[in-house]
Structure formats: C-alpha cells, structure tokens
Amino acid sequence: MSLIDRKKRNLFLVRASFFAPGTLILIGLSIFPFLYAVILSLFNWNLARPQWGVHFVSIKNYIDLLLTSRFRVSIVTTFIILGGSVCLQLVLGIFIALLLTNSQVKGIRIIRAIIILPSVVTPVVVGLLWLLLYKHEFGLINFLLTKAGLRQINWLTTVWGARFALIIADTWQWTPFVSLVVLAGIMSIPQSIIEASKVDGTNPIQYFFHIMLPMIKPSILVALLIRTIDGFRVFDKIFAITKGGPGGATETLSYYIYVRGFNNFEMGVAAAASVFLLVLVTIVVQMILKVFGADKLFVSR
Amino acid sequence: MKSMKTVGIYVLIALVMVGFFIPIYWMVSTSIKELVDVFAVPPKIFKFDLTWKNYTDYFGPGSPTSQLEQLGNSIIVALMNGLLATAIGAAIAYGSTVYDFKRKNSYLFWILSLRMLPPVAFAVPFFIFARTLYLLDTRFVLVLMYCLFNVPLAVWLLRSFFSEIPKEIREAALADGATEYQIFFRLFLPLARSGIVVTFLFTVIFAWNEFLLALVLTSRNAKTMPVAITSFWSTMQINWGGFASTGTILFIPIMILSLVLGKQIVRGLTFGAVKE
C-alpha cells in the first residue's frame, strides 16, 4: 500500500473509532431487537407454557390481535388519553408561558426552578402521588371538592373518572415542561419586532394571533412532538394509578403489550403488538411533521 | 389600570406555582408525619408532629424492611449508565460535529428516532435476550439497556454544546499537527466541560427515573427504587409512610440536580432542540 493510501486508511480508522463503539451498541439495542421482535411475532411462544412448544404461525398473531376487541379498544384508549393530555398540556402550557412572559427577569429563575419540578419527578412516583390524592376515602381532591360545595367524584371506579385521573396526573407533570419550552420560544422573538408592532399600534389580541403565534410555531411543534411521542409511552402512571382499569378503561396499547407479554407471557403476541405500536408511532409522528410542514426539519451543522 | 393587571398576573403565577408544588409538598410532609396525622380529616397541612420513623424503617441500615439495597442499585445503575452513555455520546457527538459524510442526516435522525420508541416495544426482546444470557436481575443489564435512550440524548445534547466551539480552534490545532484524539481529549472535552456535566446529569436523571425496563428485567437482586416503591401499594391498603419516604428519597436528588442544572433544564428535556 502506498504511503498516501495507508495515511488515508489510518485517518478513516481514527474517524470511525469515534462512531464504532456507540453505533454498534445502539444497533444492538434497537435494530437487532426490532428484527428479533418481528421474527418472534411470527411464532407462537408462551413462556408460561413451555410444554406447548414454539411453532411458526406466520401472521396468525397479527390477525388474532386485529380480531381481539381488547386490542382494538386499547388503541382507541391510547388516542383518547393521548389526545386529552396533549391538548390540555399545550393549552395550559401556552397560557402559563404567556403569564411568565411579563414577569421580571429576576423572578424567572426561582419560578423556573420550582415549576420544573413536576417534570423531573419520577413518573411512577407522580402516579402514586395522584393515587393518594384520588383515593375516594381520604383523597385530598374530594375533600377540596366538598369544601367548595361540589359533589365528590368517583375517580378510580368509573371509566371516564379513571381516564381523567390519568390525563390530569399527566398534565400536572408535563405542563411545566411545555410552558418552559414555549416560553423559550417567546423570549427569542426579536425585540425589534415587538417594538415595530407597538409603533404600528397592534392590540394584544392581534399581536398574539398574527405575530407571536407564527413566531413560536417551532417551539410549540417541539413540545407537541415530544409530548405526543411520550404519550404513546405512558405506562408508569397507568401501572401506578389504575393498572389499566377499571375494566380496561385506561388500558393503552403500551399497557396491553405489558399484560400480554409479562402477565400472560405470550411472547409472540406481545412482539406482534409491539410491532404494531412502533408502526403506529412512526405514522403519527410523520403525520404531525407533515401538518406542520417540518419534514425537512433536520439540517446538519 | 396597568398595575392591577400586573398584580393579577402575579397572583395567577403564584397560584400556578402552588398548584404544581402542593402534591410534592404533600408527599414530603406525609413522610415525616405520624400515621394518625396522615389520615386526619380535615387534613393537617402545616401543624403536625415530626417523626423520622418512616426513614429509619425503610432506609435505616438495621431495619428489616430497609430499602438501602434498592437505593444502592438505583445509584449504581444511574451513575454507571450516565458515565457510559455520556462517554459514547461524546465520541459520536464529536465525530458528527467535525466530520461530514454521506447520509449523516439520516444517521443523526435515526439516533434521534430512538428516543421516540416506546420502551415497552423493546421490553419483550430485551427480556428474552437477558434471559438467554443469564443477565436477568443484574445491574449490568440495566446499565446496558438504558443506553438505548440515554446515548441518543447524550449525542444530541453534546452536539448542541460542541457546535458552540468555533471551527477555528480545531483548524488551528490541526495546523499545529495535532491528532484527532488529541483534539478530542485535550481541546473539545475541556472546552465543553460544563456541557458534559449537564449531559451526564441528564442521563443520570433519566436512568434514575426509569421504571418499565427495571420492572421487567429485575426482581430481587437488582431491583431499583422506582420498582420498589410500587410494592407499597397493594389491593388491600397503601403503606403511606413507606411510599412517602421512598418517594421523597427518589425526589430529593432530582430536585438538587435540577437546581444545579438551572436554565439548562429545557435544553436537556428537549434533547438540545431548545436553548435558553
């Protein structure tokens, strides 16, 4: 090999060494398990019933899932809880961000430090915390409701009560995050535009809808994307508060996969449902990106 | 007129802050209350007797119900995975910041997409792999598996920090005959020191809070605190004291870390997409 070729090869090896270990690990943790799950989904394997053996059943698991109403319901439930949580978080988050826009700079630090706390608390702890608050007998929420003269609510024993319980707990945890993201977007509006709109005599409502909103669209999109993606993953709180109940009212697709895979140990079925979930998430994310016209979002440095 | 609006805004902000803080305060205060006071109706918000019983019971070294082992597991897994993910992420972040190659965008986007994936979809394959390799219920398996979402976090966070280092510095070093490794270890890492600390802290936070994979992959030996805390809830009753003290212990380090992180918090939670 000539000197130049050897130098080129060494340079390539050096450069590759930055990527190789990490990329290998990531492939091993993502692509490999995914392929394995796809293959696994074509088999019939129950860990709790080893005597049944492992048989190739091709797409039987997928067909069975589609024919199982509980599976279909779990997808609907996922969207119900996801939709409710994300909408609430966005609306409240934007509202709070607007509130904070007008504050002095000094106060912001303390406010931010306190307000971000829910978003960094362990989600399962948040779940158990709200369980405490919801429990019918000594729940703080019902106590406050009665004090306000309203009726107590059966949070965890009714279908919609449980769903709202989850939505509220999730909203409580993540609204601060959304508000801080939107706030960052608002703070990045150039001063010149603010001045110009004042000179032009725009009133606050016009300002909000025609100037601010378009300018903070990227921030809102980031928050929306992240919360939507996380919405599909909600598991910790469901496990903590309702365990999918009552009667499957809060059983999202994620929880359903857990039940089939780790309560019933039906590995093949759980794998098939996992593939469904991954495809679903990908489609929804692509749709959101398309709607916001952000398919080409990522540009290299 | 204007000052009334300002006062109104401050009141609203105060309400918001109280609303987000009350449940946390509730949990912490419950952990130091006597059991009687926990159930008091009307609830005792400020006036109650202090007791450390919940902590000595569940975290005291001698206590039979002590969770020190789970606490240790959480700490070890979080720190080790933080180190591992930050190191791997730094290498990839450096490489992707200073080099260009075909399909770089796709590669980076693929890494980012790993964050989108619901962990539950990987729980089944991970479980089977760990089971086959006899790695179930070990801290090592968690340290490894958490890389799935922590390495992408590290990569993207560090990319946003590395991109703040001027190109000229690297060019000058290259002109002086420095090797890539020298530039990485002696130039970029020290310059991005605070960014690396931030990244490390975030990976630690996410590993510390993780629940699903820990639930599925561990049982007795490597159980982490988020999993342990669910054992305080049974169909019959809730062990309030145990839950509150464990929850508080889970919460306090995070609170400290988030105070340290300050305004970098948003950056970390959005994977570097949003800077202050």
Side-chain angles (χ1 to χ4, degrees):
Chain A
M1 209 188 277
S2 74
L3 189 62
I4 304 265
D5 284 340
R6 205 165 43 211
K7 275 199 166 178
K8 275 194 180 175
R9 184 199 67 178
N10 287 342
L11 189 60
F12 174 75
L13 284 179
V14 163
R15 292 185 172 180
S17 68
F18 283 100
F19 295 97
T23 312
L24 274 173
I25 292 187
L26 285 183
I27 291 182
L29 290 177
S30 62
I31 297 185
F32 187 48
F34 173 68
L35 289 176
Y36 185 84
V38 170
I39 296 178
L40 179 59
S41 67
L42 304 174
F43 283 78
N44 183 345
W45 183 10
N46 191 323
L47 271 181
R49 301 260 183 275
Q51 64 271 25
W52 287 354
V54 181
H55 305 290
F56 179 77
V57 289
S58 84
I59 56 173
K60 178 174 180 291
N61 286 329
Y62 289 97
I63 310 263
D64 276 349
L65 278 175
L66 286 173
L67 292 177
T68 312
S69 73
R70 192 171 169 193
F71 171 75
R72 296 193 305 263
V73 165
S74 76
I75 298 187
V76 173
T77 311
T78 305
F79 280 109
I80 292 180
I81 296 185
L82 174 68
S85 305
V86 172
C87 286
L88 210 49
Q89 288 161 26
L90 274 184
V91 166
L92 285 179
I94 295 181
F95 175 68
I96 295 176
L98 288 174
L99 272 184
L100 294 176
T101 311
N102 296 315
S103 319
Q104 304 158 320
V105 178
K106 257 220 166 132
I108 266 287
R109 283 227 186 128
I110 310 172
I111 295 178
R112 180 184 15 233
I114 295 190
I115 223 178
I116 197 61
L117 289 178
S119 299
V120 289
V121 177
T122 319
V124 94
V125 171
V126 172
L128 288 176
L129 201 52
W130 281 87
L131 179 67
L132 245 162
L133 296 173
Y134 286 129
K135 281 294 270 188
H136 193 59
E137 302 90 66
F138 351 90
L140 183 62
I141 298 186
N142 278 331
F143 169 75
L144 290 174
L145 285 175
T146 43
K147 268 247 157 139
L150 300 166
R151 230 183 31 202
Q152 289 193 346
I153 301 182
N154 260 328
W155 289 104
L156 303 177
T157 48
T158 60
V159 166
W160 281 102
R163 287 175 177 167
F164 271 109
L166 266 181
I167 292 179
I168 293 176
D170 202 56
T171 302
W172 177 83
Q173 174 156 37
W174 293 108
T175 300
F177 164 72
V178 173
S179 65
L180 287 186
V181 171
V182 173
L183 182 63
I186 293 180
M187 307 261 246
S188 68
I189 297 181
Q191 192 64 21
S192 51
I193 300 216
I194 303 180
E195 299 295 323
S197 72
K198 278 203 185 128
V199 166
D200 282 347
T202 28
N203 65 51
I205 301 191
Q206 283 175 321
Y207 177 74
F208 176 69
F209 280 105
H210 296 277
I211 300 184
M212 185 184 263
L213 218 42
M215 292 213 73
I216 59 175
K217 201 168 85 159
S219 304
I220 298 184
L221 178 60
V222 167
L224 171 64
L225 265 179
I226 292 183
R227 289 312 314 146
T228 303
I229 290 167
D230 282 350
F232 280 101
R233 307 154 126 225
V234 172
F235 176 86
D236 306 18
K237 291 193 194 66
I238 301 180
F239 189 91
I241 305 181
T242 61
K243 288 232 169 29
T250 54
E251 193 176 71
T252 58
L253 185 50
S254 288
Y255 200 80
Y256 180 74
I257 293 177
Y258 170 76
V259 167
R260 297 301 299 257
F262 296 98
N263 279 354
N264 306 348
F265 287 103
E266 302 167 88
M267 295 284 117
V269 174
S274 301
V275 171
F276 259 121
L277 179 58
L278 287 174
V279 169
L280 195 60
V281 173
T282 314
I283 294 180
V284 171
V285 168
Q286 289 288 52
M287 273 172 47
I288 294 185
L289 287 180
K290 266 231 163 74
V291 163
F292 276 76
D295 308 32
K296 306 282 176 269
L297 190 55
F298 295 98
V299 186
S300 73
R301 178 184 178 238
Chain B
M1 262 305 160
K2 188 169 180 198
S3 65
M4 259 193 65
K5 179 176 124 178
T6 321
V7 166
I9 289 186
Y10 278 126
V11 165
L12 275 178
I13 293 182
L15 277 178
V16 164
M17 284 176 56
V18 161
F20 283 118
F21 193 66
I22 276 198
I24 299 178
Y25 173 78
W26 191 254
M27 177 176 73
V28 175
S29 65
T30 301
S31 73
I32 46 179
K33 277 184 191 170
E34 292 280 355
L35 204 60
V36 170
D37 288 338
V38 173
F39 296 142
V41 174
K44 290 194 175 173
I45 305 187
F46 290 116
K47 282 188 172 185
F48 49 84
D49 298 321
L50 276 178
T51 169
W52 296 105
K53 185 165 179 296
N54 293 320
Y55 289 99
T56 52
D57 272 354
Y58 296 104
F59 290 99
S63 160
T65 48
S66 177
Q67 303 202 89
L68 276 182
E69 189 180 341
Q70 284 88 330
L71 178 59
N73 289 335
S74 274
I75 295 178
I76 295 177
V77 168
L79 287 179
M80 304 242 62
N81 178 258
L83 283 173
L84 181 64
T86 307
I88 298 178
I92 298 184
Y94 174 77
S96 64
T97 305
V98 304
Y99 306 137
D100 238 326
F101 49 91
K102 267 201 286 235
R103 318 258 184 88
K104 184 159 104 160
N105 273 353
S106 308
Y107 174 74
L108 289 172
F109 188 68
W110 166 67
I111 291 188
L112 184 64
S113 72
L114 295 179
R115 192 225 178 277
M116 290 200 264
L117 308 172
V120 79
F122 288 85
V124 172
F126 280 1
F127 177 73
I128 296 181
F129 291 166
R131 189 171 171 268
T132 317
L133 297 171
Y134 295 104
L135 284 177
L136 272 185
D137 205 17
T138 60
R139 289 188 287 249
F140 171 74
V141 79
L142 287 182
V143 171
L144 186 60
M145 302 304 192
Y146 286 173
C147 282
L148 174 62
F149 50 83
N150 266 344
V151 167
L153 171 65
V155 166
W156 277 85
L157 262 186
L158 285 171
R159 266 179 60 85
S160 84
F161 286 113
F162 281 168
S163 68
E164 289 168 4
I165 298 179
K167 274 181 132 74
E168 292 74 34
I169 294 193
R170 181 180 132 85
E171 279 156 21
L174 280 174
D176 281 347
T179 70
E180 292 288 354
Y181 296 128
Q182 281 174 333
I183 299 181
F184 178 62
F185 284 105
R186 301 246 181 105
L187 218 47
F188 268 65
L189 291 189
L191 279 175
R193 194 166 31 219
S194 60
I196 293 183
V197 169
V198 165
T199 306
F200 173 71
L201 290 181
F202 269 108
T203 50
V204 165
I205 290 179
F206 283 122
W208 175 264
N209 282 345
E210 206 280 335
F211 174 69
L212 174 58
L213 289 179
L215 175 71
V216 162
L217 297 173
T218 68
S219 55
R220 238 196 331 255
N221 298 323
K223 191 188 281 198
T224 55
M225 290 241 288
V227 179
I229 201 177
T230 57
S231 64
F232 289 116
W233 183 102
S234 69
T235 42
M236 291 299 129
Q237 57 179 9
I238 299 182
N239 184 333
W240 307 87
F243 158 69
S245 61
T246 311
T248 308
I249 297 269
L250 265 172
F251 167 66
I252 298 285
I254 306 280
M255 181 180 76
I256 299 177
L257 286 185
S258 70
L259 285 175
V260 166
L261 286 169
K263 59 179 184 172
Q264 302 288 8
I265 277 245
V266 180
R267 202 182 213 178
L269 289 176
T270 57
F271 267 50
V274 176
K275 304 186 204 188
E276 269 289 333

